[in-house]
Amino acid sequence: MAGYLMFDLVFALFFVGAAGFCIYSYLLIVQQREQQKMLCSIQSLPAIVLKSVQTPDLPVPVKRYFHLTCIDQIERLPCLEIQISGVWRPKKGLPSIPIHGNIFYAINRPCFLELLSFSTWPHILKTILFKQSVNEGQIEERFLSVFSIRKESGFYIQKMGLLKYFFEAVWFPWIFRPSLYLNWEPIDDLCARFTVSDSLIPLNFIVKFDESGLIKEMISESSIGFFDDLTPNTTFIAIYGGYCEVRGMLIPREIKIFRDDRCDENLYQHLILVSYQNTMVYEIALSDENYKPI
């Protein structure tokens, strides 16, 4: 009898392991296919002509930021892949959900593919697949990371994707260089505003810099609601911290995004950079004596 029970246990463990491997393999295939689609969709678009970081009419804090991040000395990547961890609160009043996953950004245009995994009670694995391409956005929620259970698209999702892209652009600050589609204007010595017009949805952001010249906060002047909380009158605020040098650039390891104000109850997402183009950011942060998390 004990032998049969042991056989059943081993078989069950083998089945669970095989199922997990199949799901993981399927996710990799989906991610690769979506990445390829996104790259194909932007290859036919003309490249954005970036202006010099020494453009005379650039606000003073923006010039200082470009100098500190060394973007004029680092080769601009055509695309970027990062791995993140953190928490997500889809609605106000709900507990935060631990998340982890990968994000693939296109640097030439505001496009990205995000694949985040999380568990809900009772420990059911789900996945959020967020795709943002030129003038199109889509979010899909999947049960057990395979079966689609909800899909959202349209104006709000598209605008949300653009906001998300520029909130996270501190990880690839080349995108902040002035161009035909992105323009800066001064506010004061530690604050500036940039406007994005590379889509059917214009966006405005107020950027606040710290005394050293790094971005510490970004506020969306364009109100919008996020997935599961589509309230058009919501303003989002991103704060940045844990700056460290990664592949020659000074970038933040942490991003916190809040709804309307900076209290913990209004936290929407807390993203922590784990790896950057296969460079382990966690190890860099531990070895940097000046590293200060949020």
Side-chain angles (χ1 to χ4, degrees):
M1 186 69 177
Y4 285 113
L5 289 176
M6 182 61 68
F7 175 80
D8 291 342
L9 179 60
V10 170
F11 179 79
L13 291 174
F14 173 79
F15 179 79
V16 170
F21 177 77
C22 291
I23 291 175
Y24 177 74
S25 299
Y26 175 79
L27 288 176
L28 288 179
I29 293 173
V30 168
Q31 185 177 7
Q32 291 170 358
R33 286 178 178 174
E34 295 296 341
Q35 287 177 2
Q36 190 62 39
K37 285 181 181 179
M38 183 176 68
L39 288 174
C40 291
S41 69
I42 64 175
Q43 281 178 346
S44 60
L45 296 172
I48 296 176
V49 178
L50 300 176
K51 299 178 183 178
S52 169
V53 296
Q54 302 301 326
T55 301
D57 57 351
L58 267 181
V60 173
V62 180
K63 288 184 179 180
R64 189 186 308 123
Y65 171 72
F66 287 161
H67 175 72
L68 284 172
T69 53
C70 301
I71 64 170
D72 56 336
Q73 303 172 22
I74 306 296
E75 182 182 0
R76 184 187 186 200
L77 299 172
C79 54
L80 170 68
E81 184 175 4
I82 68 169
Q83 182 181 358
I84 61 166
S85 63
V87 296
W88 170 50
R89 181 178 290 138
K91 287 185 179 180
K92 289 183 179 181
L94 294 180
S96 298
I97 302 171
I99 57 174
H100 65 275
N102 297 307
I103 309 177
F104 181 87
Y105 301 99
I107 310 300
N108 188 44
R109 291 280 177 165
C111 308
F112 67 86
L113 171 68
E114 179 180 68
L115 193 63
L116 294 182
S117 297
F118 62 97
S119 296
T120 55
W121 186 91
H123 306 294
I124 298 175
L125 179 64
K126 291 184 179 180
T127 298
I128 293 291
L129 180 66
F130 193 170
K131 297 181 289 184
Q132 174 68 35
S133 57
V134 177
N135 294 327
E136 183 180 4
Q138 184 183 92
I139 292 182
E140 182 180 358
E141 184 176 352
R142 294 176 177 175
F143 173 68
L144 294 178
S145 303
V146 176
F147 307 103
S148 179
I149 56 177
R150 181 167 51 159
K151 190 177 291 186
E152 299 276 354
S153 61
F155 174 82
Y156 286 125
I157 302 301
Q158 179 186 345
K159 192 168 185 179
M160 177 190 77
L162 291 170
L163 287 175
K164 175 179 173 60
Y165 181 87
F166 286 100
F167 274 145
E168 297 170 10
V170 288
W171 287 330
F172 42 98
W174 300 283
I175 202 70
F176 290 134
R177 289 178 59 175
S179 68
L180 180 63
Y181 306 104
L182 190 148
N183 294 287
W184 287 92
E185 58 182 90
I187 295 178
D188 57 39
D189 290 342
L190 293 175
C191 193
R193 175 187 290 107
F194 72 86
T195 302
V196 180
S197 57
D198 185 25
S199 69
L200 299 175
I201 305 174
L203 301 175
N204 299 288
F205 296 86
I206 294 177
V207 182
K208 297 182 179 181
F209 302 83
D210 61 21
E211 295 294 336
S212 68
L214 296 171
I215 292 178
K216 69 174 183 179
E217 186 175 302
M218 195 181 298
I219 303 170
S220 68
E221 292 189 291
S222 307
S223 301
I224 194 64
F226 273 79
F227 187 52
D228 271 342
D229 194 9
L230 297 179
T231 49
N233 58 347
T234 301
T235 297
F236 284 85
I237 304 165
I239 62 173
Y240 306 92
Y243 276 88
C244 54
E245 185 176 323
V246 181
R247 300 173 70 93
M249 284 193 306
L250 202 56
I251 59 175
R253 184 170 179 246
E254 297 182 59
I255 302 176
K256 285 185 176 181
I257 301 176
F258 296 87
R259 299 176 175 92
D260 295 323
D261 59 59
R262 300 161 190 79
C263 64
D264 290 340
E265 291 78 10
N266 288 334
L267 178 67
Y268 169 72
Q269 256 187 357
H270 181 190
L271 304 177
I272 302 173
L273 195 57
V274 176
S275 71
Y276 187 97
Q277 290 288 91
N278 299 318
T279 299
M280 296 306 295
V281 180
Y282 175 73
E283 297 175 358
I284 295 174
L286 285 181
S287 62
D288 188 348
E289 60 182 15
N290 296 318
Y291 175 75
K292 296 179 181 180
I294 297 177

